Amino acid sequence: MMQNLLLNRLFKEISFHLIILFFISTGAFLKINNYLDFLLISSLLIFIRNKSMLSFYYPVALFIWGLYADVLIGYPLGYTGVIFLFFYLLKEFSNSFGDLENIKPRFYIYIIGLLILLFVEYLAIIFFFGVALSIINIFIKYSLMLILFYPIANIFIYMDIYNEK
C-alpha cells in the first residue's frame, strides 16, 4: 500500500516536471500570438500546485527550469527563474493564509501577483530598453492568465495534485 502511494506521488512529481518542460519548450519553439505566453502558463501551474515531494529542492528545481527557459528563449539568465520563484513564494504565502481547498483566496492572491509582475515588467521595458509599449497588449496577456486560472485549477483538483495532503 505504502509503495503504491509512493509510486503514485513520484509519478505525479515527474508528470508535473514534464508538463513544465513541455510548456517551456513549447514557448521557445512555438509563438502562437503575442497574448499566449507559455512562461506565464508555467508560472500559473507552479502557483496552483500544492506540495512537492522535493520540498527543499523544489525552489532550486524551479530556478533551474527558469535557467533552461532563459537559454531557450534568449532572456537574460535568471529572469524566468525569478518569475518562477516569485509565484512559488506567492503560493507559499497563499498556503499559509488561505484554505488549500478554497480557490477564491488563491485567485485573489494570484491577481495581486500578476498585477505586481505586470507593473514591474512594464516599467522594466520602459526604463531599461527605452521602448514605449502599449499597456493594453500586456494587460490582455495577463488577463488571459486570469481566464485560464479556474480551468487549470479544476484540472489539478481532478488530478488530485492540488488537494494532496
Side-chain angles (χ1 to χ4, degrees), residues 80-110:
T80 308
V82 168
I83 291 174
F84 287 169
L85 291 177
F86 172 70
F87 282 102
Y88 171 74
L89 288 175
L90 273 179
K91 175 187 70 120
E92 292 299 318
F93 177 78
S94 70
N95 286 347
S96 63
F97 289 110
D99 184 18
L100 295 177
E101 296 170 357
N102 192 358
I103 297 176
K104 282 191 178 184
R106 295 185 85 166
F107 180 70
Y108 296 133
I109 292 172
Y110 185 70

Side-chain angles (χ1 to χ4, degrees), residues 20-89:
I20 294 291
L21 173 68
F22 172 75
F23 278 115
I24 290 172
S25 300
T26 302
F29 298 113
L30 180 65
K31 187 70 172 175
I32 295 174
N33 60 25
N34 291 334
Y35 303 121
L36 188 64
D37 191 356
F38 290 103
L39 169 68
L40 288 176
I41 294 173
S42 299
S43 299
L44 175 64
L45 293 175
I46 290 167
F47 179 77
I48 289 176
R49 185 162 188 237
N50 192 10
K51 291 288 183 186
S52 171
M53 278 181 58
L54 299 175
S55 64
F56 294 118
Y57 301 108
Y58 186 58
V60 174
L62 292 178
F63 192 75
I64 290 172
W65 280 124
L67 290 177
Y68 172 71
D70 291 337
V71 168
L72 280 180
I73 298 171
Y75 290 148
L77 286 179
Y79 172 76
T80 308
V82 168
I83 291 174
F84 287 169
L85 291 177
F86 172 70
F87 282 102
Y88 171 74
L89 288 175

Side-chain angles (χ1 to χ4, degrees), residues 94-159:
S94 70
N95 286 347
S96 63
F97 289 110
D99 184 18
L100 295 177
E101 296 170 357
N102 192 358
I103 297 176
K104 282 191 178 184
R106 295 185 85 166
F107 180 70
Y108 296 133
I109 292 172
Y110 185 70
I111 289 174
I112 292 169
L114 274 181
L115 288 175
I116 291 170
L117 187 63
L118 170 86
F119 184 68
V120 169
E121 181 181 12
Y122 185 71
L123 289 179
I125 289 172
I126 288 175
F127 291 126
F128 292 130
F129 299 111
V131 177
L133 291 177
S134 172
I135 189 119
I136 293 174
N137 289 338
I138 298 172
F139 186 73
I140 291 171
K141 177 173 67 169
Y142 282 80
S143 297
L144 184 61
M145 292 302 106
L146 296 177
I147 293 170
L148 292 176
F149 182 86
Y150 278 109
I152 292 176
N154 287 331
I155 290 171
F156 271 58
I157 288 171
Y158 179 73
M159 291 174 29

